[in-house]
Amino acid sequence: MAAYTTVYTYRPIANVEVELTSPLSGRVEPLELTLYAYKVESMLYWAVRKSPTASYRVKSTGEEIPAAHWTDEMEAFYKERAAAYTPIPDAGTYLNFFGKMILGLVGVVILSTLWGILSELL
């Protein structure tokens, strides 16, 4: 059992079908663009990126197209669609219970140290 784990999740927020040139076949065919909200959860905090990530799939075969192989028109279409979903509603970084406890403990240590220094000076 790991004492500290980080969980990465992708939550789908939109699906769009579009006819573009597939870099896998070189032909114009239906592709499916899926936009995702990217979330990171750890022991101290959780965070959601402000802009969506994406993946393209060939509609007929379901084969995913790696982002390194996206054409310029695929990249432009992704940016256009992602702009409509940016910022993601719950985007940001938030402390969970343990993160708040650690922050409070650090604050108490700093304040007590300052109090000790000031009481010696006065």
Side-chain angles (χ1 to χ4, degrees), residues 60 73 78 83 93 103 112 115-116:
S60 59
E73 66 178 346
Y78 156 68
T93 303
L103 185 63
S112 64
W115 181 259

Side-chain angles (χ1 to χ4, degrees), residues 45-56:
Y45 71 96
W46 61 274
V48 177
R49 287 187 54 196
K50 289 180 173 64
S51 60
T53 59
S55 69
Y56 275 103

Side-chain angles (χ1 to χ4, degrees), residues 9-97:
T9 55
Y10 293 89
R11 177 177 43 99
I13 54 176
N15 255 345
V16 181
E17 189 175 323
V18 63
E19 296 259 342
L20 294 174
T21 304
S22 170
L24 302 178
S25 66
R27 297 184 322 240
V28 174
E29 58 184 313
L31 302 177
E32 183 177 66
L33 171 68
T34 305
L35 298 174
Y36 299 95
Y38 178 63
K39 183 177 184 179
V40 177
E41 293 179 84
S42 76
M43 190 171 80
L44 301 176
Y45 71 96
W46 61 274
V48 177
R49 287 187 54 196
K50 289 180 173 64
S51 60
T53 59
S55 69
Y56 275 103
R57 291 190 181 280
V58 178
K59 186 77 171 165
S60 59
T61 63
E63 187 177 3
E64 186 170 338
I65 301 170
H69 297 256
W70 287 5
T71 63
D72 290 338
E73 66 178 346
M74 290 170 71
E75 186 74 33
F77 185 75
Y78 156 68
K79 287 180 181 178
E80 174 189 316
R81 296 308 304 159
Y85 292 94
T86 303
I88 294 173
D90 58 348
T93 303
Y94 306 93
L95 291 175
N96 61 20
F97 178 74

